[in-house]
Amino acid sequence: MNTSRVFAFKPMKSLLTTKCSRAAITSGLRRLACTPSSCPRVCIVGGGPAGFYTAQHILKAHPAIQVDIYERLPIPYGLVRFGVAPDHPEVKNVINTFTQTAQHERCSYHGNVSVGKDVSVEELRQAYHAVVLSYGAEVNRTLGVPGENLAGVYSAKDFVGWYNGVPCNKDLKPDLSGETAVILGQGNVALDVARILLSPHDILTNTDITQPSLEALANSRVRRVLIVGRRGPLQVACTIKEIREMVNLTGTRPDMLSADFKGIAEVLKDLPRPRKRLTELMMKAVQATPAGDGLTSRQWGFRFLRSPVEVLPSPDLTRTAGIRLGVNRLEGSGDGARAVPTGETEDIECEMVISSIGYQSLPIDPAVPFDPRKAIIPNAMGRVLQATGLYCSGWIKRGPTGVIGTTMNDSFDTARALIQDIETGVLDISTVKPGSQTVTPLLQKRGVNPVSFSDWEKIDVEEMKRGTVVGKPREKLLDVTEMLKTAHS
Amino acid sequence: MATPRSAYVLQKVCTWPYCNAMTVRSENKITINFINRDGEKLTVKGSPGDSLLDVVIDQNLDIDGFGACEGTLACSTCHLIFDEDVYKQLGPVTDEEMDMLDLAYGLSDTSRLGCQICLTKSLEGMTARVPEGVSDMRQSDLGTTSSSS
Ligand SMILES: Cc1cc2nc3c(=O)[nH]c(=O)nc-3n(C[C@H](O)[C@H](O)[C@H](O)COP(=O)(O)OP(=O)(O)OC[C@H]3O[C@@H](n4cnc5c(N)ncnc54)[C@H](O)[C@@H]3O)c2cc1C
Ligand SMILES: NC(=O)c1ccc[n+]([C@@H]2O[C@H](COP(=O)([O-])OP(=O)(O)OC[C@H]3O[C@@H](n4cnc5c(N)ncnc54)[C@H](OP(=O)(O)O)[C@@H]3O)[C@@H](O)[C@H]2O)c1
Ligand code: FES
C-alpha cells in the first residue's frame, strides 16, 4: 500500500480489564462466595482464534470463572500462525490480544495436550463445569477424482502447512520444477497459495516463512498459476483485498479470458457494492491481460465453470501431467447459482495440482455429537445439542469458512450463551470441580508433559532469536521434539 | 497490564493523506459520541490527529472486538456508521479501506473504518454508531448470503 502512513507506536490497553457486563455485576454475590477452589471452571479445547476469543469473553463477562485452554500443539494460535500467509503479518496482530488473554490471572494455557487422545472429553467434563470445543478443521476436503494421489497433487492445507511450518508438513517438499500449477477452488486460501507461488523472492525473505520453503520457492520454476472454479465470475469465494494483491503483485501479469466475462458488464449495476467492486477489479485484470499466450513473465488467472474430473498422469504413470476438467453451466443466478455439468471436458497441461476446495472438521471423541454431512458439531448458538455443559465455537461450530473477525463474533456468541446458562442455572456450578488439578496428574501419568504459556514464551524467544540472524521476524521451529526441548529447557 | 509485544507487525496504517500533519497534539480536545451496540451513548474526548481507534483504546471504551488488527487495515472490526453530514467531512476513502469495509457486516452508505478516521476540529460533537448484530457477519465474508464463504 503505497499511500500508507505509519503511526507512532502506542501500546493497546488491555481489552480484558474493561468494565464487567451487567451480567457479571449481578453475579457479584457468587463472586464473594467463590474461593479459588470452588470457582466455576471452564475448559476450552483448541488454542486457535475461536479458543482465545471464547476465553476472552468469558473472562470479561464473569468475575470468577477460571479458564483452562488445552491445545494439541506446544504452540498456540492455530491458523493465525499456521494458516495466515507469511506476507500478511498485520493479520497476526490479533496475537497481542490472545497473549493478554493467556496471561490473564484466571486463564491457563496447556499446550501439547491432544484431547480425545491424551485425555477424553468425558474426563474433561468430569473435571470442569463446562467444556468448549474449539478445535477447528484439521483436514482438507478430498476431490474424489481419479489421479488424486499422483505425485504432483497437493492439498492446499499441506502446502500452506509446509510454508508456514506445521510440524507434520515439514517434509512435504513439493515439486516446483514444472511451469504450470493448477489450483482447484477460488477461495482466499487458493489466492494465498497462488500469491506465495508467484511472489518475487524479496517479498518473502523478511517474513516468517520457513527457511526450507523460502529456499525451495527461490528455485521454483512455476511461472503460471491457474485458479479454477466450478462456478462463474460472480460466484468467486475469495475477497477483493486478495484479488487486488494479485493484480498488484510485482513481476506478474494476469492471464484471464475475456469470454468468461461476457454479459457480466450488463449485470454489474444490480450487484451489491462488495460483489460489484470485486467483479470490476477482475474485469480490470481481464483488460490487463496481454494478447497472445507467450509465457513472458510470471502470470496468474482465473478459469471458471470447470470442475475437476481426473488428474492426468505422465506417460510413465508416475506423476501429474495435466488435469481434465468438466465444463459446467450455471443454473440459477447470484450467490446461490449451481454448477451443472454439460458433459464436455477440457484438458490443461500442468505439472502441479493444488486442491483448495476447503478444510473439514473431524469428530474428536465418540462421546461428542457430530453431524457427518455438514462436518460440524450440531449446536444452537454454540450450545452442543443434547449435551448440557458442552459448547462449541469457531470452525467446528459453523464450518470452515469465515475470517478471524467472523470467528471472533461467533466465539463471543458462544461465550454469551455459556454465561447465560450459568446465570439461569441451566449450567449447575454449585458442585466443586477440580479442573486441571485432576487433569494435569492424569496427563503426567500418561506420559504427557504439557507446555505452559511461559514455556511457549521460551519457544517464542528462541524463534525470534533465530529470526534475527536471518533478517526475519522469526524462524519457526519445525519439529515438535525440538519445541518441547526448548519449552522445557 | 502492559501489552505484550511480539515480533509481529505493529504499525498502524492510515491512508488518509492529511492524517500525518494532524498527529501534532494540541490541547484542543474534540468531543465525540459513540452509540454502542446496546444503544448506550459513550461521550469522550480525543485529540486532533487521533484515529477513532486510538480514542476507543485510550478511553478504554467497552466495544466488543473493536480493532482486532490494531489499525493495520486487515480486519474491519472497527466499522462505524456516521450521519450523512459527518460522513461527508471524513475525507476520501482509499481502495484499500473500501476493500476491508466491503467485508463488514451491516455495511451502509455512510460506513467507514474507525482506524482510518482522524479527528479534526470540524468533527466536534460528532456521533459514530457501532453497527448492531455483528455476529451475523458469519453468514458471509462478502456481506451477502453466499453459500460458499
Ligand atoms: C490458509 C488459511 C489462511 C487464512 N488467512 C486468514 C487471513 O489472512 N485473515 C483472516 O481473517 N482469516 C484467515 N483465515 C481464517 C481464520 O484462520 C479462521 O477464521 C480461524 O483460524 C478459525 O479459528 P478456529 O479457532 O476455529 O480454528 P483453528 O485456527 O484451526 O484453531 C483450532 C486449534 O485447535 C487445535 N486442536 C485441534 N485438534 C485438537 C485436539 N484434539 N485437542 C486440542 N487441540 C486441538 C489446533 O491445533 C488449533 O490450534 C485463514 C484460514 C486458512 C485456512
Ligand atoms: N486473507 C484472508 O482474509 C483469508 C485467507 C485465507 C482464508 N481465509 C478465509 O478462510 C476461509 C476458508 O477459505 P477456503 O479458501 O479454504 O474456503 P472457501 O472460501 O469456502 O473456498 C472454497 C472454494 O472451493 C470450491 N469448492 C468447494 N468444493 C468444491 C468441489 N467439490 N469441487 C470444486 N470446487 C469446490 C468453492 O466453490 P463454490 O463457491 O462453488 O462452493 C470455493 O471456490 C474463508 O472464509 C476465507 O475467507 C481468509
Ligand atoms: S482495526 Fe482492523 S481494519 Fe481497522
Side-chain angles (χ1 to χ4, degrees):
Chain A
M1 249 177 288
N2 40 19
T3 49
S4 60
R5 295 271 184 280
V6 175
F7 266 26
F9 154 71
K10 190 186 311 163
M12 301 266 284
K13 277 190 202 146
S14 170
L15 299 162
L16 297 168
T17 49
T18 46
K19 58 187 169 173
C20 288
S21 71
R22 232 163 263 126
I25 294 163
T26 53
S27 58
L29 269 184
R30 226 167 290 148
R31 170 172 42 168
L32 293 177
C34 172
T35 63
S37 64
S38 69
C39 59
R41 292 181 192 278
V42 171
C43 83
I44 292 177
V45 178
F52 275 102
Y53 280 125
T54 310
Q56 174 182 328
H57 204 79
I58 291 174
L59 291 165
K60 180 182 155 189
H62 194 286
I65 293 183
Q66 296 280 334
V67 177
D68 287 332
I69 299 175
Y70 292 96
E71 162 59 49
R72 180 165 49 189
L73 285 168
I75 287 176
Y77 312 136
L79 286 169
V80 174
R81 172 173 163 123
F82 294 114
V84 171
D87 58 343
H88 284 171
E90 60 292 343
V91 175
K92 303 187 196 197
N93 276 348
V94 294
I95 287 178
N96 295 322
T97 303
F98 298 164
T99 304
Q100 289 179 9
T101 301
Q103 291 175 335
H104 191 282
E105 54 186 4
R106 286 183 283 116
C107 185
S108 314
Y109 170 81
H110 309 260
N112 193 38
V113 179
S114 181
V115 173
K117 187 169 141 257
D118 300 332
V119 57
S120 71
V121 173
E122 204 41 55
E123 285 164 337
L124 291 178
R125 291 182 80 176
Q126 295 294 324
Y128 291 87
H129 294 102
V131 177
V132 185
L133 300 160
S134 313
Y135 64 89
E138 78 176 282
V139 297
N140 211 89
R141 275 187 208 128
T142 49
L143 290 170
V145 302
E148 188 166 5
N149 298 319
L150 276 172
V153 183
Y154 306 94
S155 76
K157 185 175 183 296
D158 290 349
F159 191 82
V160 168
W162 170 68
Y163 66 65
N164 273 338
V166 175
C168 66
N169 297 130
K170 70 174 189 302
D171 298 319
L172 185 74
K173 299 195 174 70
D175 183 350
L176 303 168
S177 63
E179 197 161 80
T180 302
V182 163
I183 303 178
L184 300 168
Q186 294 176 324
N188 280 338
V189 173
L191 269 77
D192 276 356
V193 170
R195 204 176 59 252
I196 295 297
L197 277 172
L198 293 177
S199 281
H201 186 67
D202 56 347
I203 289 188
L204 298 176
T205 40
N206 54 5
T207 70
D208 66 3
I209 190 168
T210 65
Q211 198 59 24
S213 55
L214 182 65
E215 283 160 20
L217 286 163
N219 296 315
S220 162
R221 294 219 203 103
V222 177
R223 303 183 58 74
R224 184 175 187 231
V225 176
L226 295 178
I227 307 158
V228 178
R230 58 179 167 183
R231 300 190 291 160
L234 295 180
Q235 287 80 30
V236 286
C238 57
T239 48
I240 186 165
K241 178 175 183 248
E242 283 61 34
I243 299 187
R244 197 180 298 284
E245 284 177 302
M246 291 309 294
V247 171
N248 293 338
L249 191 61
T250 321
T252 68
R253 65 159 178 91
D255 166 9
M256 306 276 270
L257 304 176
S258 55
D260 284 339
F261 289 81
K262 230 178 86 192
I264 300 281
E266 289 77 68
V267 298
L268 269 185
K269 62 174 193 327
D270 299 324
L271 298 175
R273 184 179 100 185
R275 180 60 77 186
K276 178 164 176 272
R277 294 183 66 245
L278 190 151
T279 310
E280 282 168 345
L281 186 61
M282 283 194 291
M283 293 172 77
K284 244 174 85 182
V286 175
Q287 275 155 21
T289 301
D293 50 13
L295 203 56
T296 47
S297 56
R298 292 184 168 199
Q299 59 193 58
W300 61 275
F302 286 114
R303 292 294 178 271
F304 298 102
L305 295 169
R306 300 288 184 274
S307 288
V309 171
E310 182 183 357
V311 181
L312 304 169
S314 56
D316 62 0
L317 306 179
T318 58
R319 50 164 304 107
T320 302
I323 185 154
R324 178 157 301 158
L325 299 170
V327 179
N328 300 326
R329 64 180 172 78
L330 278 188
E331 216 172 73
S333 62
D335 289 329
R338 280 188 337 111
V340 181
T342 61
E344 276 172 65
T345 63
E346 176 185 283
D347 294 352
I348 297 182
E349 269 179 46
C350 62
E351 297 78 13
M352 184 178 202
V353 171
I354 298 179
S355 155
S356 184
I357 61 167
Y359 284 45
Q360 190 181 330
S361 298
L362 298 176
I364 193 174
D365 189 308
V368 180
F370 192 79
D371 177 340
R373 202 179 54 82
K374 293 189 186 149
I376 57 169
I377 295 176
N379 71 90
M381 284 295 274
R383 297 176 177 96
V384 178
L385 297 184
Q386 281 144 10
T388 310
L390 264 192
Y391 298 81
C392 58
S393 63
W395 276 13
I396 187 63
K397 169 184 173 187
R398 33 164 244 281
T401 60
V403 292
I404 295 167
T406 328
T407 297
M408 175 182 85
N409 285 316
D410 103 53
S411 302
F412 288 174
D413 282 349
T414 294
R416 278 185 206 110
L418 190 152
I419 299 291
Q420 194 183 42
D421 288 352
I422 289 181
E423 266 146 22
T424 55
V426 171
L427 202 58
D428 177 16
I429 54 164
S430 61
T431 51
V432 175
K433 294 275 189 175
S436 60
Q437 270 174 29
T438 54
V439 176
T440 306
L442 201 69
L443 290 168
Q444 266 153 6
K445 217 170 74 195
R446 292 172 186 167
V448 179
N449 200 352
V451 169
S452 70
F453 199 74
S454 53
D455 291 340
W456 141 249
E457 287 176 316
K458 290 186 211 160
I459 302 179
D460 195 26
V461 167
E462 175 63 21
E463 289 188 339
M464 291 195 276
K465 201 172 91 196
R466 292 188 190 192
T468 314
V469 179
V470 287
K472 293 174 169 183
R474 72 175 59 237
E475 189 59 53
K476 293 176 178 174
L477 300 190
L478 302 179
D479 188 80
V480 173
T481 318
E482 197 184 4
M483 290 173 189
L484 292 177
K485 218 177 103 200
T486 311
H488 295 135
S489 62
Chain B
M1 187 191 338
T3 307
R5 287 284 154 181
S6 65
Y8 293 98
V9 161
L10 305 165
Q11 295 168 342
K12 295 178 189 177
V13 294
C14 180
T15 51
W16 194 37
Y18 313 108
C19 224
N20 234 19
M22 294 295 176
T23 51
V24 187
R25 298 292 143 115
S26 110
E27 290 309 300
N28 305 328
K29 296 258 180 178
I30 297 155
T31 304
I32 31 182
N33 307 297
F34 290 90
I35 312 277
N36 212 342
R37 265 167 218 127
D38 57 4
E40 190 189 356
K41 186 169 176 177
L42 311 162
T43 302
V44 288
K45 284 184 190 297
S47 305
D50 275 354
S51 76
L52 289 181
L53 174 64
D54 291 334
V55 175
V56 170
I57 300 301
D58 289 348
Q59 303 293 323
N60 219 1
L61 298 186
D62 186 13
I63 306 176
D64 276 341
F66 198 86
C69 80
E70 306 188 355
T72 57
L73 266 187
C75 61
S76 64
T77 58
C78 59
H79 176 200
L80 292 169
I81 297 175
F82 299 86
D83 294 335
E84 184 100 33
D85 50 330
V86 175
Y87 180 80
K88 285 191 191 129
Q89 291 183 53
L90 296 178
V93 193
T94 61
D95 283 343
E96 286 77 13
E97 181 184 344
M98 195 78 106
D99 289 354
M100 290 317 298
L101 204 48
D102 275 355
L103 306 188
Y105 173 74
L107 183 64
S108 79
D109 289 340
T110 57
S111 290
R112 289 291 301 264
L113 292 178
C115 69
Q116 301 301 308
I117 306 291
C118 291
L119 287 183
T120 59
K121 280 289 336 157
S122 63
L123 295 174
E124 172 66 34
M126 70 149 192
T127 299
R129 193 162 56 77
V130 184
E132 297 161 34
V134 184
S135 34
D136 290 327
M137 176 176 163
R138 63 174 163 255
Q139 298 211 326
S140 164
D141 287 347
L142 271 181
T144 54
T145 49
S146 162
S147 56
S148 58
S149 63

